[in-house]
Amino acid sequence: MRAARLIKMVLLLQTRASMTAAELARELEVSERTITRDAQALSEAGVPVYADRGRAGGYRLVGGYRTRLTGLARSEAEALFLSGVPGALREMGLQDTASAARLKVSAALLPSVRDASRTAAQRFHLDAPAWFSEPRTPELLPSVADAVWDDRPVLARYRRGESEVERTLEPYGLVLKAGVWYLCARVADTEAFRVYRIDRFTAVRPGAERFRRDDGFDLPGFWAERAEEFARSVLRSEVVVRLSPDGVRRLPYVLDPASAKEGLSASGAPDGQGWVTLTLPVESEEVAHTQLWGLGPEVEVLAPASLRERCARDAARSAALYR
C-alpha cells in the first residue's frame, strides 16, 4: 500500500513543477505529516525530492528527474478507456486503478500536452442516470465487475418474482442503462445469453477457474438487440386512436418510442380534417390511458370501448371543473 503511494507521489511530482504538502495530501488521501515522511523515504531511496520552504514552497523533483515506472498494467490500461465515466468507475471499484493509469500516461507525455487530461475533464462529463431519480449502487456490483474483468464464472443467487433462483453464470459484460446496472452473461453449460439486473442479485460467489470467452461476442450489438426485444415485449395490447396533426407531432413525446414508431409507420392517409387513424401497441389499457391523456384534445380513442368510455368520463369531469 505504501509502495503504491510512493510511486504515485513521484508521478504526481513528475507531472507538475511543484506541489504543496496540502495538495499532495489531498491527492493521496493522507495527512500532511505522512507526506513529510514519504518525501524523506523517497530521498533516502535516491529519488531527488526537494522541499522548498516558505509560504510559496512545496515539493519538487530536482534536475529533471524522471521515473521509468510509467508502464501501464493491464488493469490500468483497461480502466483508462473508462476514464470518461467516473461515476461508473467508482461504483465498480476501479477509481484508484484509473487514477494511477492517468498519472502514468501524464508522466509519459511531453510537458506541452501534459494538461490534456485536465482540459478534457473540464469540457466533457458523462452523467448516466436519468433525471428525477436517485440511483443506488448495487452492493454486489464490485464483485460482479471483478468477475467480468477476470473472466471467472460466478454462482449467483437472484430474485425472480417472489422466489430466489441460483445459476452458474459466465459474466461477459456490464451495461449501465439510465442509472441501472445490468449483467450480460451466458448460462454455464449452455449457449444461452441472458440479461440480469444486478440489484436483484442476493449473493455472488466467483469460481476458481476462468471460462473460455467467445471472442465473437459483441456486447453493444447484443445489448441493442435485447433492449429492442424487451421494449417490444412489454407492448401486449393495442388501442385505435385518431390524432390531429399536432397530436401526431407530439405522440413520440408521450408514448413509448417503439410504440409511436410502429403506429405511425402503419398509419393511413389523413381524413378531411387532417386527422389520421392508427393502431398503437401499448403495455396495457391502464398505461395507455395515462400516456394518451397527455395529448388532451389532440387525440380521440376509438377502441377498445372501455378505454374510450374512460377517457370520455375524464374529459367530462375536466370540463365540469373548468366550466
Side-chain angles (χ1 to χ4, degrees):
M1 183 71 176
R2 189 190 185 199
R5 189 176 70 243
L6 292 174
I7 293 173
K8 194 171 182 180
M9 183 174 175
V10 173
L11 291 172
L12 283 168
L13 293 175
Q14 186 171 312
T15 57
R16 307 181 194 181
S18 176
M19 295 184 69
T20 66
E23 290 171 336
L24 284 167
R26 185 166 56 251
E27 288 277 357
L28 300 175
E29 299 181 346
V30 295
S31 67
E32 293 185 33
R33 181 172 297 181
T34 298
I35 294 298
T36 301
R37 289 198 296 265
D38 285 353
Q40 182 176 351
L42 287 170
S43 295
E44 292 173 354
V47 179
V49 178
Y50 181 78
D52 291 316
R53 306 297 179 185
R55 293 182 59 186
Y59 292 95
R60 60 186 176 87
L61 293 176
V62 179
Y65 176 86
R66 297 183 66 82
T67 177
R68 295 184 180 180
L69 299 174
T70 53
L72 289 178
R74 180 178 181 85
S75 60
E76 293 170 342
E78 291 169 337
L80 188 62
F81 286 98
L82 295 172
S83 58
V85 283
L89 280 169
R90 182 176 60 254
E91 292 176 4
M92 288 190 290
L94 295 173
Q95 188 174 23
D96 290 342
T97 303
S99 175
R102 286 193 297 269
L103 275 174
K104 288 184 177 182
V105 170
S106 296
L109 293 174
L110 294 173
S112 59
V113 294
R114 198 166 285 163
D115 65 341
S117 61
R118 180 181 61 82
T119 56
Q122 289 174 337
R123 289 164 173 79
F124 177 78
H125 174 68
L126 176 63
D127 186 9
W131 286 105
F132 313 118
S133 63
E134 290 293 334
R136 296 182 179 178
T137 303
E139 182 180 346
L140 295 174
L141 176 60
S143 298
V144 176
D146 285 345
V148 169
W149 286 114
D150 212 21
D151 292 341
R152 293 189 184 277
V154 295
L155 181 63
R157 290 187 63 83
Y158 63 96
R159 294 186 300 275
R160 189 169 70 181
E162 299 298 322
S163 61
E164 287 194 357
V165 179
E166 189 171 85
R167 292 281 187 276
T168 298
L169 305 175
E170 296 175 352
Y172 266 66
L174 292 168
V175 175
L176 177 60
K177 170 71 171 179
V180 179
W181 283 96
Y182 296 88
L183 172 68
C184 301
R186 181 167 59 188
V187 180
D189 300 323
T190 74
E191 296 299 319
F193 282 89
R194 296 177 182 171
V195 177
Y196 301 86
R197 278 185 60 144
I198 294 182
D199 57 6
R200 292 179 183 168
F201 284 171
T202 59
V204 171
R205 191 175 71 205
E209 303 294 329
R210 289 184 171 88
F211 65 87
R212 184 181 295 276
R213 173 179 285 267
D214 179 0
D215 292 334
F217 178 75
D218 174 19
L219 179 60
F222 171 79
W223 175 259
E225 180 181 328
R226 290 304 172 91
E228 184 176 350
E229 289 177 3
F230 172 76
R232 189 63 186 83
S233 69
V234 300
L235 304 176
R236 302 185 181 94
S237 301
E238 287 186 343
V239 299
V240 182
V241 300
R242 287 179 71 236
L243 289 173
S244 70
D246 191 44
V248 171
R249 180 183 61 81
R250 290 165 51 189
L251 185 66
Y253 299 98
V254 300
L255 215 62
D256 297 315
S259 174
K261 181 179 179 180
E262 183 173 329
L264 291 172
S265 65
S267 63
D271 59 21
Q273 298 175 304
W275 289 51
V276 295
T277 300
L278 61 155
T279 301
L280 296 171
V282 294
E283 185 174 343
S284 66
E285 184 174 316
E286 180 71 27
V287 172
H289 172 263
T290 301
Q291 293 174 329
L292 293 173
W293 193 247
L295 293 176
E298 308 305 324
V299 62
E300 178 189 2
V301 175
L302 302 178
S306 56
L307 180 58
R308 179 179 175 85
E309 292 169 2
R310 183 174 183 176
C311 290
R313 288 195 303 270
D314 288 348
R317 291 174 59 197
S318 294
L321 288 174
Y322 289 99
R323 183 171 296 133

